Amino acid sequence: MWHHASGRHESLPVPDKQDPLFFTKPTRSQKAVAKYFATAIALFLLQIFMGGITAHYAVEGQNFYGIPLSEMLPYSVVRTWHTQLGVFWIATTWLATGLYIAPALSGHESKYQYLGVNLLWIALVVVVVGSMAGEWLGIQQYFDLDTNFLLGHQGYEYIDLGRIWQLLLLSGLVIWLLLVTAAIKPAFATQIEIRPVMWVLYGSCVAIGLFYGAGLFAGKHTNLAVAEYWRWWVIHLWVESFFETFATSVIALMLVRLGLIRASSANGAVLSATVIFLSGGLIGTLHHIYFTGVPTSVIAWGAIFSALEVVPLALIGFEAIQSYRMHNAVPWMARYKWAILFFVATAFWNLVGAGILGFLINPPISLYFVQGLNTTATHSHGALMGVYGMLGIGLMLFCLRGLNTNLAWNGVYLKGAFWMLNLGLAAMLFMSLLPIGLTQFFAVLENGYWYGRSPEVIHSPLVESLVWMRVPGDVIFAIGGFLLGLFLIDLLKKSLLDKPKAPAVEGLAEKASL
């Protein structure tokens, strides 16, 4: 970080007087990507609803404000859906970004790209709906144990979906990789300046497409310690290493495309960040496998290297802040204000949610006392939504701007969504989740780890009161998600009903800066 901040850097380029993307006509396959973003936001809103029900069960047991909802939606179902939907909607935004950015880089669309994008979206919907239905049927015991493993609920958090759905999802990822490969391949012959960044981008796409398969190494009768090992390959390496590498390179390419940073600067930053990601991510995985019987020294190495993962995203945030400071340099930069602000929010939550709250539970001595308590939930909410969720929304807004260059956005919706999501997440963490985790921590110190999740603690008056304190944050956050949905609906309505003439960029900038 010191080297990056104090080293000599090339001066930032002077931005073009006109938006480089304004006169770029999106291809058919790029236009087809829009439905992915609509699907992602629908899944996001459903995840928020499931999260509210999950939290409420903590104080009212089997009921939801007096309604015996658990008869239809047991706690195991809503909690499974809540965690799984988080992965689904965030991954959808990132995969859609890959499908959008590849033709944008190459200026080429393969013969079956449009068909492939549409078929992949159908496959995505089938996997999401099918896996959620299977999990409900499995938990409600409509399946026998063998069928439950194949079509129902495997029982491992974040990879809960049955083995058939898991195989279908992996197949979809491979198809996505083939589509990205076909679209981006011509760019390697033409985009000489940013070729290193493109290789990093493509390498991360290969890893995203294939590393989800690590979850298949755990079978129905695999020893729990071995199954946990492979599960964390999926959660930590697939999400926390390769998705981050993908994000680093995509953001760098976007900023180069806008003329905000030089290609040479992007090459150096992305390559150095990738080295840190992979060294931190690969070895950092080890801090997760505390309960698999590995030596303390292994966990210590994992905890130390896991801390390195914060550095590259902090550098991305630094670049995002620098870019945001340029939003008045030329009028058209205002069009990307909210996309860049979501990148800035990513940097903030990377420091707080992934960094501070994550390192509270990473070192071996912390793991011994607080792993699996609400301190873990605090970190997971701050990191998954704060880092990956905000980044997914930022990527989505950037792609939507390229798809709707001649439409004025409703900045009121975006402004409300940005602040409500961030303030709601902060309230959720610091008014409820973290205080509950600290309460459990002191209970563990006095009585042992088992006591931290006992009914005496979980249903104590203090903890139940702290659970109720989630309501303000949850409501604020839900309003933010709702406003984001309204923004998409408004944009869709304008694109379908309006037939605007391409206005001057200055006029768009004024409207976009609301």
Side-chain angles (χ1 to χ4, degrees), residues 455-469:
E456 289 79 6
V457 175
I458 296 299
H459 292 290
S460 65
L462 174 59
V463 171
E464 289 200 350
S465 298
L466 289 172
V467 173
W468 278 111
M469 290 298 293

Side-chain angles (χ1 to χ4, degrees), residues 424-489:
L425 181 59
M428 189 190 308
L429 296 182
F430 299 112
M431 291 175 61
S432 180
L433 287 175
L434 184 59
I436 293 173
L438 295 176
T439 302
Q440 290 177 297
F441 167 65
F442 288 114
V444 169
L445 287 181
E446 293 180 8
N447 299 284
Y449 182 79
W450 67 273
Y451 190 69
R453 298 186 69 162
S454 66
E456 289 79 6
V457 175
I458 296 299
H459 292 290
S460 65
L462 174 59
V463 171
E464 289 200 350
S465 298
L466 289 172
V467 173
W468 278 111
M469 290 298 293
R470 273 194 65 165
V471 172
D474 283 6
V475 170
I476 294 172
F477 188 86
I479 292 173
F482 181 70
L483 289 174
L484 190 62
L486 288 179
F487 162 75
L488 272 181
I489 293 172

Side-chain angles (χ1 to χ4, degrees), residues 414-429:
L414 280 180
K415 181 177 183 180
F418 176 83
W419 288 111
M420 290 293 186
L421 288 174
N422 282 281
L423 293 175
L425 181 59
M428 189 190 308
L429 296 182

